[in-house]
Amino acid sequence: MPTPWQICCDKKSRTKNAEAETDTMAQTSEKVQMKKEITLLNGVSLIVGNMIGSGIFVSPRGVLMYSASYGLSLVIWALGGIFSLFGALCYVELGTSIVKSGGSYAYILEAFGAFVAFIRLWSSLLIIEPTTQAVIAITFANYIVQPVFPHCEPPYDAVRLIAAACICSLTFINCVNVKWGTRVQDVFTYAKVMALILVISVGLYKIGKGETENLRAPFEGSATNPGMIALALYSALFSYSGWDTLNYVTEEMQNPERNLPLSIAISMPIVAIIYLLTNIAYYVVLDMSALLTSDAVAVTFGGETLSHAKWIIPIAVAMSCYSGLNSSIIAASRLFYVGAREGHLPVSLSLIHIKCFTPVPALLFNGLMTLLYLLVEDVFLLINYYCFNYWLFVGLSIAGLIYLRYTQPHRPRPVKLSLFFPIVYCLCSLFLVIVPLYSDTINSLIGVGIALSGIPAYYLGVYLPVEKRPKRLLWLSATTTKYVQKLFYCALSDLDIDVEPTAAKSK
């Protein structure tokens, strides 16, 4: 009996005899590896879709709260865009010189070795990816359910079930076909950009009519305390996070040496301009007290300006969440796939479907972890634990660029930046690591503890030679791999088979 993956992935007629099918498959010349199906347009959609999440619709107030004026807040939004562009340019060099999926994990592994890379992977597995995805899914569910309960809190169980359905649907789509996932990304990214263009158009219309009372003294009351300005910049930079999404799927890009730099060069200005113009539109229509007290700024904006069309905004927020969650699932599954391929996670997560050419086990593992985090009632609090870790590892990966310049000077680099960019970014990343330690010490230390909890796992599963590892652990890994292969119709990719002897010699 064929598995669900066979039914969805193989539309051609199948032989009734399983052995005959296996023989036919063995005779084919097509390699079992993930296909290069991500185009330039898909790349732009992945970056824009992940960067523009629900935050710009729901709560862009962090920057305004700490800057205390419209003028200074817009300056900080612009500075955040410039700083993020510096990081993205550094990732262009890293992504074109280290053509591996996995993003910062792959770059840290190349520059600083297995231990630091494993701790980065462990942090993503335990806290960064599942928490982020659970929060996005819950936000999506809240905006889907809210119209049914306009005057009261939506039922807890209904929200969590819809969030779970959202996660499961996107996981299934990405299991079946990479193209399905990128098409979903394209459509929902276009939709939310169009919704933001609507918001911007209303704001520009108001400015054209001369309704600019809120902007007449834009810098009045601006914060002068360096600590407050630092927190405002921190909030802006967090809204720009996601520019590294495409580096997690580098191996699946068509012509990455060309399309990776172009995708980033197109995406970054689009996002920065949309953020600036959207905030200007909010500032024109809403006064500061309304902005700082609203739980959903875009919905408040729609209620003030769109009249009977105000229903567009909640739908746009939900679509934005769906798009952001899809890109996060694509990136996280590739991270776990590459980590397993490097021997830092169980081998079963490095298997790919032999007809769909998707990392089905890694996708299902990511989905299961996120569903488990939906069971945590205060999942929104967990997001506070990883701010320190996130910026630390992004900074480390870009520090790796500088390190590799000196340790591997002859490495081919299709794009080679001035060292000014990575040095400035690393100095600013140091600031971003210090800010949460200063402003949220307890949660930051908990995040550090979660990361360091990976040390025993590294010792048992990676550091120890295979013959010295616990027998039960080896048996569990082998058994899991066998049944995952059978159940999900998966195999090691040809790349894994090719590099195994090399990896064995290096050990």
Side-chain angles (χ1 to χ4, degrees):
M1 179 179 177
T3 67
W5 315 110
Q6 287 173 265
I7 294 169
C8 292
C9 298
D10 187 15
K11 294 182 181 178
K12 299 175 183 178
S13 60
R14 284 178 288 275
T15 59
K16 294 181 180 180
N17 189 319
E19 291 180 3
E21 184 178 347
T22 304
D23 292 340
T24 304
M25 187 175 61
Q27 292 167 6
T28 183
S29 60
E30 191 172 22
K31 287 189 174 182
V32 180
Q33 57 185 218
M34 289 196 284
K35 303 303 176 187
K36 292 182 177 291
E37 294 188 325
I38 296 177
T39 63
L40 174 62
L41 186 60
N42 297 150
V44 172
S45 295
L46 279 168
I47 297 172
V48 173
N50 204 10
M51 288 182 73
I52 302 178
S54 61
I56 192 65
F57 291 99
V58 181
S59 57
R61 60 189 179 189
V63 178
L64 182 61
M65 181 170 63
Y66 293 118
S67 60
S69 76
Y70 288 153
L72 183 58
S73 71
L74 291 174
V75 170
I76 287 170
W77 277 109
L79 287 174
I82 293 168
F83 174 73
S84 299
L85 178 61
F86 276 31
L89 289 173
C90 294
Y91 264 48
V92 167
E93 177 173 329
L94 286 166
T96 52
S97 59
I98 304 169
V99 190
K100 289 183 179 179
S101 296
S104 59
Y105 164 76
Y107 309 145
I108 291 171
L109 179 65
E110 188 76 21
F112 302 117
F115 176 70
V116 182
F118 181 86
I119 296 300
R120 190 264 179 262
L121 181 64
W122 185 260
S123 299
S124 290
L125 187 151
L126 274 192
I127 192 76
I128 297 176
E129 301 299 345
T131 300
T132 304
Q133 291 172 28
V135 166
I136 296 172
I138 290 168
T139 306
F140 166 84
N142 273 317
Y143 276 86
I144 290 292
V145 176
Q146 191 65 55
V148 184
F149 302 92
H151 305 298
C152 62
E153 194 73 19
Y156 176 87
D157 291 340
V159 169
R160 296 299 166 121
L161 285 172
I162 291 172
C166 174
I167 293 162
C168 291
S169 66
L170 285 172
T171 300
F172 177 77
I173 286 168
N174 283 287
C175 281
V176 172
N177 197 313
V178 172
K179 274 293 181 188
W180 287 17
T182 55
R183 282 171 188 158
V184 166
Q185 189 66 33
D186 292 346
V187 169
F188 282 85
T189 298
Y190 299 153
K192 68 178 168 186
V193 168
M194 292 302 293
L196 287 170
I197 289 173
L198 174 62
V199 170
I200 291 165
S201 300
V202 172
L204 293 178
Y205 173 73
K206 295 283 186 183
I207 291 172
K209 287 178 64 180
E211 297 180 21
T212 56
E213 292 83 2
N214 293 342
L215 302 179
R216 281 181 182 166
F219 289 93
E220 185 178 345
S222 295
T224 55
N225 184 326
M228 297 298 282
I229 294 172
L231 288 170
L233 182 58
Y234 187 82
S235 297
L237 289 171
F238 207 81
S239 296
Y240 279 105
S241 62
W243 45 260
D244 57 346
T245 304
L246 203 55
N247 293 73
Y248 285 88
V249 293
T250 308
E251 294 171 24
E252 296 171 72
M253 290 192 68
Q254 297 173 1
N255 192 6
E257 288 82 5
R258 171 186 176 272
N259 288 341
L260 179 62
L262 274 177
S263 297
I264 289 173
I266 294 168
S267 304
M268 295 303 294
I270 288 174
V271 174
I273 291 167
I274 285 176
Y275 275 0
L276 283 168
L277 293 180
T278 302
N279 277 288
I280 290 171
Y282 289 157
Y283 297 164
V284 167
V285 172
L286 303 173
D287 58 30
M288 192 171 291
S289 60
L291 279 162
L292 295 178
T293 55
S294 173
D295 290 328
V297 174
V299 174
T300 305
F301 176 93
E304 292 283 337
T305 59
L306 298 179
S307 185
H308 297 297
K310 62 184 179 182
W311 54 268
I312 293 173
I313 299 299
I315 291 175
V317 177
M319 295 179 82
S320 181
C321 292
Y322 203 70
S323 165
L325 182 58
N326 184 59
S327 59
S328 183
I329 286 171
I330 291 171
S333 62
R334 271 55 176 186
L335 173 61
F336 299 147
Y337 164 77
V338 173
R341 194 175 69 188
E342 297 292 342
H344 290 173
L345 289 176
V347 177
S348 56
L349 296 182
S350 70
L351 303 174
I352 64 171
H353 195 279
I354 61 177
K355 292 193 177 179
C356 300
F357 306 108
T358 54
V360 170
L363 281 159
L364 295 177
F365 173 76
N366 175 74
L368 180 61
M369 287 293 293
T370 307
L371 290 173
L372 288 175
Y373 275 66
L374 285 182
L375 301 176
V376 180
E377 189 168 351
D378 294 328
V379 68
F380 284 84
L381 296 179
L382 296 179
I383 210 162
N384 298 324
Y385 298 154
Y386 77 72
C387 295
F388 174 88
N389 293 355
Y390 176 83
W391 292 113
L392 173 65
F393 290 120
V394 170
L396 264 179
S397 62
I398 291 178
L401 184 155
I402 302 170
Y403 179 74
L404 290 172
R405 284 284 188 93
Y406 290 100
T407 58
Q408 301 179 19
H410 303 298
R411 187 186 192 102
R413 292 178 172 87
V415 177
K416 190 173 183 179
L417 295 176
S418 163
L419 283 177
F420 169 78
F421 293 100
I423 288 171
V424 168
Y425 194 91
C426 286
L427 290 173
C428 293
S429 294
L430 186 62
F431 153 76
L432 291 170
V433 168
I434 292 170
V435 166
L437 272 177
Y438 168 77
S439 63
D440 198 7
T441 307
I442 299 299
N443 284 333
S444 296
L445 291 177
I446 291 172
V448 172
I450 291 169
L452 295 180
S453 69
I455 293 175
Y458 175 80
Y459 178 77
L460 289 174
V462 180
Y463 180 79
L464 282 178
V466 176
E467 61 272 12
K468 292 186 178 180
R469 292 177 193 171
K471 295 291 188 288
R472 293 278 182 183
L473 193 64
L474 295 173
W475 174 85
L476 180 63
S477 176
T479 305
T480 304
T481 302
K482 181 175 72 172
Y483 284 106
V484 165
Q485 282 183 296
K486 290 181 176 180
L487 183 60
F488 300 118
Y489 208 50
C490 293
L492 282 173
S493 69
D494 288 326
L495 176 62
D496 300 329
I497 294 166
D498 290 341
V499 301
E500 274 181 343
T502 309
K505 286 178 185 177
S506 66
K507 289 178 183 176

